[in-house]
Structure formats: C-alpha cells, structure tokens
Amino acid sequence: EAQVTQNPRYLITVTGKKLTVTCSQNMNHEYMSWYRQDPGLGLRQIYYSMNVEVTDKGDVPEGYKVSRKEKRNFPLILESPSPNQTSLYFCASSFKGQGKESYNSPLHFGNGTRLTVT
Amino acid sequence: GNSVTQMEGPVTLSEEAFLTINCTYTATGYPSLFWYVQYPGEGLQLLLKATKADDKGSNKGFEATYRKETTSFHLEKGSVQVSDSAVYFCALTLYNQGGKLIFGQGTELSVKP
C-alpha cells in the first residue's frame, strides 16, 4: 500500500530534550516536506526537499532541522524543543517530474504527529 | 505575498443540505488550486484540483470552479452526508515556488443526521 508513515503519533517531551520525528514514504517520490498545523493558521511549511541531499527552508524553519540522506526518509529534528513548538506535524511527499504539471502532483500526507513540549 | 483565505468555521449543516465553503486567493502569477480534506485523526488527502482559469475540479460529489476574475475557488456539494464531516483546506501552488502548497486556515464542517 502506498503511504507516508510518521512516527511517533503522539509525543510528550520537556523543554530542551532533543527529539526526532521520522517520516518514510514507499512511493519513490522525489519531493518531501514537513508542515505544522496550528488552530486558525492552517498548515505552514517548515522544510522541504526536492531530492536526496537537497533541502530548503519553508516559512517557519526556526528551531528545526532536517536531513535527506535517502530518498524514502525525511526526519524532522528538534535540537532543543520549546513550548511554542507544541503542534500537530505532518510529513508529505509527492512526485516531481518535469514541466509545469509536475508542480500539480498531489501531496500524500502522513497521519500526523502530535507533539507537546512542556 | 501569496495567500489563501477561507470562510471561518465551524459550519454545521443537516444531512442533504447544500454546502458552500468560500475560498479566495492572492497570488503573483497563475496558481494551481486545490481542495484537501482532513478526516478526524488522519492526514490531509486531495479532494479535487484545477490548474487553470475556468477549470472545474470534481470528486465525490464535490465541485469547485477556478474563477480568475474573482480570484476564487469555492467548494460546493449539492447534498452533504454525515460522512462528509471533516476539515476542508483550500490551497494554491505556483510554478516558481518549488511546488510549495500554501494553505488556507481550514474550515471545519459538521453534518448532523
């Protein structure tokens, strides 16, 4: 089954304790991205990756890191979490080919990770 | 800048009622437009899309028409069901933005039997 898998689904941690949220997709997609979802703000992009070893900042990258060493995996790292990073996080992937139509490929989302930082 | 604005929710309807969720956008260039749906406890999934002016996207009884003159992409359904209860997100992407989706804030729909 084609899917994007995030782990864990729920995470409660304390300020300053490093954590990693994993994301893996089995669709051989080039493009992967992380979003956070907050009430009244919709989804905001944190980081994205166009392919292996190619990552770039989204709209709200502060306090986050990512890596793309393999095509299927795109972990999100919080080196020193703070309470304002309490949120619902989504990983997503899509096919990115050539030309304009490649940018219309639908995003496939994971089921989310609800993070609470106390 | 580029942005998407949706009508505020929650929207509460009775089963078989007509649904409209308004969405307007601001964009430099010619965006592609999308509606995504998020069911409780799940990630978002694509509902429909339109990639150029006057295109109509449709899926599962939902429709939306890309209106360039009014910069709108309103979501409609003629007869909603309880199973349509979810959060609906309008979004756009631009060719020169690396495929980034810009989302509206989401509209929660609750359908009562």
Side-chain angles (χ1 to χ4, degrees), chain B residues 33-98:
Chain B
L33 302 173
F34 304 81
W35 277 99
Y36 279 79
V37 59
Q38 182 181 28
Y39 297 104
E42 298 182 10
L44 284 73
Q45 54 187 277
L46 179 68
L47 181 59
L48 54 85
K49 71 178 184 182
T51 59
K52 60 183 187 297
D54 299 324
D55 267 3
K56 177 186 283 188
S58 61
N59 186 25
K60 299 181 181 181
F62 291 89
E63 292 183 340
T65 301
Y66 188 141
R67 301 283 188 202
K68 185 180 173 185
E69 63 276 13
T70 54
T71 62
S72 65
F73 193 55
H74 305 321
L75 182 68
E76 296 182 336
K77 186 175 185 183
S79 176
V80 293
Q81 305 300 313
V82 173
S83 57
D84 293 326
S85 298
V87 181
Y88 293 82
F89 290 91
C90 186
L92 68 83
T93 187
L94 286 160
Y95 179 60
N96 62 354
Q97 295 287 307

Side-chain angles (χ1 to χ4, degrees), chain A residues 9 37 45 59 104 107 110, chain B residues 32 36 38 41 43 49 89 100:
Chain A
R9 288 294 306 273
Q37 182 180 8
Q45 190 182 54
D59 296 318
N104 297 324
L107 275 178
Chain B
S32 294
Y36 279 79
Q38 182 181 28
K49 71 178 184 182
F89 290 91
K100 181 175 79 172

Side-chain angles (χ1 to χ4, degrees), chain A residues 21-116:
Chain A
V21 183
T22 63
C23 174
S24 180
Q25 50 93 5
N26 62 1
M27 294 167 280
N28 202 35
H29 285 162
E30 295 88 354
Y31 181 91
M32 297 186 75
S33 182
W34 278 102
Y35 285 84
R36 59 178 289 173
Q37 182 180 8
D38 301 290
L41 297 177
L43 278 82
R44 294 177 291 167
Q45 190 182 54
I46 303 170
Y47 269 94
Y48 66 96
S49 169
M50 300 293 281
N51 215 322
V52 176
E53 303 290 3
V54 180
T55 63
D56 211 342
K57 296 177 181 179
D59 296 318
V60 288
E62 295 79 18
Y64 304 95
K65 285 176 55 177
V66 293
S67 68
R68 188 91 183 273
K69 294 184 171 58
E70 305 165 284
K71 197 171 187 179
R72 62 184 292 127
N73 295 324
F74 190 47
L76 179 69
I77 302 154
L78 284 71
E79 295 269 3
S80 183
S82 62
N84 65 10
Q85 293 178 298
T86 293
S87 187
L88 180 58
Y89 291 87
F90 288 100
C91 180
S93 72
S94 71
F95 171 72
K96 289 293 180 219
Q98 301 292 324
K100 183 173 189 271
E101 275 308 309
S102 68
Y103 293 93
N104 297 324
S105 300
L107 275 178
H108 297 259
F109 283 81
N111 283 336
T113 296
R114 185 166 292 283
L115 172 65
T116 302

